[in-house]
Amino acid sequence: MGQGQQEKVATSLAGAVSEEISASLAPVDAELERRYPGDPGTRQPVHTVYVPGDVFAADTIRSWGDQALAALDQHAPDAASFAAVLGLGDELAGPVYDRVRAKLEREPIEDLRVDFEDGYGPRPDAEEDEAAARAARLIAEAYENGTAAPYMGIRMKCMEAPVRDRGIRTLDIFLTGLMEAGGLPEGLVLTLPKVTYAEQVTAMVRLLEEFEKAHGLEPGRIGFEIQIETSQSILAADGTATVARMIQAAEGRATGLHYGTFDYSACLGVSAAYQASDHPAADHAKAIMQVAAAGTGVRVSDGSTNVLPIGTTEKVHDAWRLHYGLTRRALARAYYQGWDMHPGHIPTRYAAVFAFYREGFEQAAARLSRYANQAGGDVMDEPATAKALSGYLLRGLDCGALDIAEVAGVTGLKRADLEGFASPRRGDLPSPGMNNPPPGGAWPCPTVGL
């Protein structure tokens, strides 16, 4: 048969067969869409900073930024000295250092949690009541005057019997205070710690439902993070993955799973000297969390290091190297968020994040550009890889590691194009060739202005 001759197309199955199969799988389709809606496509902060409820003040965010800048001035006053501490190459030294300083001046904290749990401890009820009300007032004022972090909220006490009532009351006071101050901010985040059973997650859902009803809020308006700090939250008594049950018990309200480095390690009997986010026990827990959360829209966050960058310059440099290395290790394992415990941690948090995105930027951008334009190359990428490449670039843009102009300059794509690749509809991943529309001008995904 010569080229250009139309092929004869023949089938054997009646149309009813396909219809019957589709009907039989309809419940599965609905379940798949409900349980695995995909990433929400919103910004994910690179870290969470927690500040005890009695320490949090109106100037906390700016104070952390100023302390971090002072640490740089004292222990790494220029790009070369900072790069030498962290082992950055010459091509990254200047861009990373400059961006770190700019970030500390502009947005030193991306996510802040006012802590009423371990970092706060047991207090008289009247004292915690006042601190919770104060936290609500200060956070509301910060959002109103433009000094807030992109994400802010509280970590309440857990749902275990000894502290349950106290945790519920603190949450009630805090949320009520926000409502009285004008409403819940868009960046509100709540953290439920030490979750052991899925029923505790269900209790949190019921609690938030009642609050929403009391204030006429849209059902599902308030979400929360689940902190994984016990062995039972990973593996149940029957051998199943408890964390997967917790995600489903949240009924769509769970926004994140946060690994609690020290409580989880202690729960497994790891001695204090070896409690760290790179311990094999930590890797196992986070791997289970990662698989359980995949596709659900729930994001996984790494934990923290308790080695503080304070004291002599030598000690600060040692702590910086440790924190930088742990952060880079987490990023390579797709844990794009972690916890920071001290202002001295945030220079190396941002240095690690910025280096991670900048050193891989050109290769990722070039691969996505070739894919989008069907230009070929030495790697054959598929739609799922294009999704990962665009997600990488978007995360770099969100945190300030990359600029939209430089991304567009290499890829030829606008942010809307990147978002189209990163968060496609299920079963409709963008196809290559989006910059080369077929006759008639139909694009696989819309292109809009930056």
Side-chain angles (χ1 to χ4, degrees):
M1 183 178 294
Q3 278 190 335
Q5 185 172 349
Q6 189 170 0
E7 293 283 354
K8 179 182 178 181
V9 178
T11 63
S12 301
L13 299 175
V17 174
S18 179
E19 294 175 2
E20 290 172 3
I21 289 176
S22 292
S24 69
L25 289 176
V28 172
D29 294 338
E31 184 78 348
L32 187 65
E33 188 66 29
R34 182 180 72 83
R35 290 184 181 271
Y36 301 101
D39 189 86
T42 54
R43 175 181 178 180
Q44 181 180 10
V46 303
H47 70 167
T48 299
V49 163
Y50 80 84
V51 178
D54 58 332
V55 175
F56 178 60
D59 65 345
T60 291
I61 294 175
R62 185 62 265 151
S63 175
W64 272 58
D66 291 343
Q67 290 179 68
L69 286 166
L72 282 178
D73 290 339
Q74 181 177 355
H75 302 292
D78 52 46
S81 58
F82 196 47
V85 174
L86 304 181
L88 295 175
D90 292 341
E91 71 285 356
L92 285 175
V96 167
Y97 189 77
D98 291 344
R99 286 173 184 269
V100 167
R101 291 196 70 97
K103 181 75 169 181
L104 296 176
E105 292 169 354
R106 181 186 73 256
E107 188 181 73
I109 294 176
E110 291 196 358
D111 182 29
L112 186 145
R113 207 72 68 250
V114 182
D115 190 26
F116 289 94
E117 203 230 356
D118 284 350
Y120 184 74
R123 305 290 181 97
D125 284 339
E127 183 178 340
E128 185 160 341
D129 284 355
E130 184 176 358
R134 180 169 166 272
R137 175 178 59 81
L138 292 177
I139 287 177
E141 290 174 355
Y143 277 105
E144 184 176 357
N145 63 31
T147 62
Y151 299 95
M152 298 184 76
I154 67 167
R155 179 169 72 168
M156 59 189 283
K157 290 179 171 62
C158 70
M159 285 291 181
E160 293 178 356
V163 295
R164 182 184 303 139
D165 290 344
R166 180 63 261 181
I168 291 173
R169 180 172 174 82
T170 297
L171 180 65
D172 187 10
I173 291 170
F174 175 71
L175 292 177
T176 301
L178 289 177
M179 292 299 299
E180 292 181 348
L184 304 182
E186 287 301 316
L188 174 67
V189 187
L190 306 174
T191 302
L192 179 65
K194 292 184 177 59
V195 183
T196 304
Y197 285 87
E199 289 81 358
Q200 293 167 328
V201 174
T202 298
M204 184 68 167
V205 171
R206 299 286 88 80
L207 183 64
L208 297 177
E209 284 178 343
E210 291 303 316
F211 187 88
E212 289 165 350
K213 290 176 184 177
H215 290 273
L217 297 173
E218 179 184 358
R221 165 65 181 86
I222 309 173
F224 60 97
E225 302 165 336
I226 301 170
Q227 199 155 16
I228 304 301
E229 302 176 90
T230 67
S231 61
Q232 296 91 341
S233 62
I234 294 296
L235 194 68
D238 62 0
T240 58
T242 315
V243 65
R245 294 180 180 176
M246 291 176 180
I247 292 173
Q248 296 309 314
E251 300 178 18
R253 293 179 185 266
T255 59
L257 301 175
H258 286 237
Y259 176 67
T261 305
F262 307 106
D263 282 283
Y264 187 86
S265 299
C267 183
L268 268 62
V270 178
S271 60
Y274 298 97
Q275 292 177 1
S277 61
D278 59 351
H279 190 280
D283 286 340
H284 172 262
K286 286 178 286 190
I288 299 297
M289 293 162 60
Q290 191 173 46
V291 173
T296 65
V298 178
R299 289 154 167 176
V300 175
S301 173
D302 200 2
S304 60
T305 174
N306 59 0
V307 179
L308 304 183
I310 57 177
T312 66
T313 293
E314 181 181 5
K315 288 184 177 180
V316 170
H317 287 181
D318 287 343
W320 273 353
R321 278 188 286 267
L322 174 64
H323 185 245
Y324 178 87
L326 291 173
T327 303
R328 286 302 306 264
R329 184 180 189 272
L331 290 167
R333 286 158 174 75
Y335 308 132
Y336 299 114
Q337 185 176 354
W339 282 61
D340 290 328
M341 302 178 69
H342 188 273
H345 283 144
I346 54 178
T348 39
R349 169 68 62 182
Y350 291 129
V353 170
F354 293 168
F356 175 75
Y357 290 114
R358 292 205 65 80
E359 69 184 18
F361 156 61
E362 290 190 1
Q363 182 184 38
R367 283 179 66 178
L368 185 60
S369 178
R370 288 194 297 269
Y371 176 86
N373 290 284
Q374 292 182 297
D378 58 356
V379 179
M380 182 177 290
D381 286 324
E382 297 184 354
T385 305
K387 179 179 180 179
L389 291 168
S390 56
Y392 173 90
L393 295 175
L394 285 167
R395 286 190 294 272
L397 289 169
D398 286 341
C399 69
L402 306 174
D403 298 325
I404 188 62
E406 62 182 343
V407 173
V410 178
T411 63
L413 304 174
K414 299 178 175 65
R415 183 174 179 113
D417 301 326
L418 299 177
E419 292 172 346
F421 280 116
S423 300
R425 293 172 297 176
R426 183 180 300 282
D428 188 28
L429 284 163
S431 302
M434 63 175 293
N435 283 351
N436 297 293
W443 297 75
C445 75
T447 302
V448 298
L450 292 174

